[in-house]
Amino acid sequence: MPGHKLETRPTGDGLSFYIDGSLQFDTRDEFIYHESLVAPAASVSAMRCPDSSEALVMGGGDGLALRELLRYPAVEKALLVDHDP
């Protein structure tokens, strides 16, 4: 990515990912954030559209929110859009 410094650092039994020195996630606990981010919207969607649904993730270029969405059986199609290539 032009203009951005991407860095990974080992963290004991995990890995941390930084963009421009700012922590983006740590593999040891990122699931807490991403489950909390996705579960409310996915649960409401499942109640309103129990047979099928589509999802749009704005941002989330790391793909971790998308991973959580795809755990819901009713999600048939998902699109992730991020501003950085």
Side-chain angles (χ1 to χ4, degrees):
M1 281 183 339
H4 292 285
K5 180 183 177 189
L6 307 179
E7 183 180 8
T8 57
R9 297 179 194 162
T11 54
D13 60 345
L15 186 70
S16 292
F17 176 64
Y18 294 81
I19 298 178
D20 298 331
S22 177
L23 177 65
Q24 301 301 301
F25 67 84
D26 186 306
T27 57
R28 295 173 297 175
D29 61 7
E30 61 75 21
F31 67 93
I32 297 167
Y33 172 79
H34 290 96
E35 285 178 5
S36 299
L37 179 71
V38 169
S43 296
V44 169
S45 177
M47 288 188 309
R48 292 186 178 181
C49 306
D51 296 329
S52 68
S53 64
E54 297 180 357
L56 172 64
V57 178
M58 302 293 288
D62 57 29
L64 299 171
L66 183 62
R67 176 201 63 204
E68 292 300 318
L69 276 170
L70 294 175
R71 290 182 175 173
Y72 288 83
V75 176
E76 294 180 349
K77 182 178 179 180
L79 176 65
L80 185 145
V81 178
D82 197 86
H83 72 279
D84 284 322

